[in-house]
Amino acid sequence: MGGLIFTLDVTFLLGLVIYLRLQRRVEARSRADQRMTVLTVMVFGILVAPTEFGKWVLSTLGSMVSSLNGIHL
C-alpha cells in the first residue's frame, strides 16, 4: 500500500515564516527579533533569486536536509 507523499518548497515555508513574523506588532520587537527577521528575508531572497549562487545554496541546503533526513535517532 503506497503512502501519501507530501512535499513543501523551502521558499514557500520561508515566505510563510516571513509573513507570520511581519504580522506581529512592531513595538514589541527586540533587536534579536529584528535581526532574525532580516536574516530570514535575506535567505529567502537568495533562494528565490535565479542566480548560480542561489541555485548553489538551494542544492547545498537540499543535500543537508536529505542527509539529516536519513539519520535515525
Side-chain angles (χ1 to χ4, degrees):
M1 181 187 249
L4 178 65
I5 298 175
F6 187 74
T7 59
L8 286 176
D9 193 17
V10 174
T11 54
F12 173 78
L13 290 176
L14 278 176
L16 182 63
V17 168
I18 291 167
Y19 176 76
L20 292 174
R21 289 181 70 83
L22 292 177
Q23 293 304 309
R24 296 182 11 199
R25 291 179 28 157
V26 176
E27 297 83 25
R29 291 189 183 171
S30 66
R31 284 186 181 241
D33 191 23
Q34 289 176 348
R35 287 181 184 144
M36 186 62 166
T37 302
V38 169
L39 179 66
T40 306
V41 169
M42 287 176 59
V43 170
F44 180 77
I46 290 171
L47 291 175
V48 171
T51 62
E52 289 299 316
F53 180 68
K55 292 176 186 177
W56 176 80
V57 170
L58 184 60
S59 68
T60 304
L61 286 175
S63 64
M64 287 174 55
V65 168
S66 65
S67 66
L68 289 176
N69 194 19
I71 297 174
H72 298 288
L73 299 176

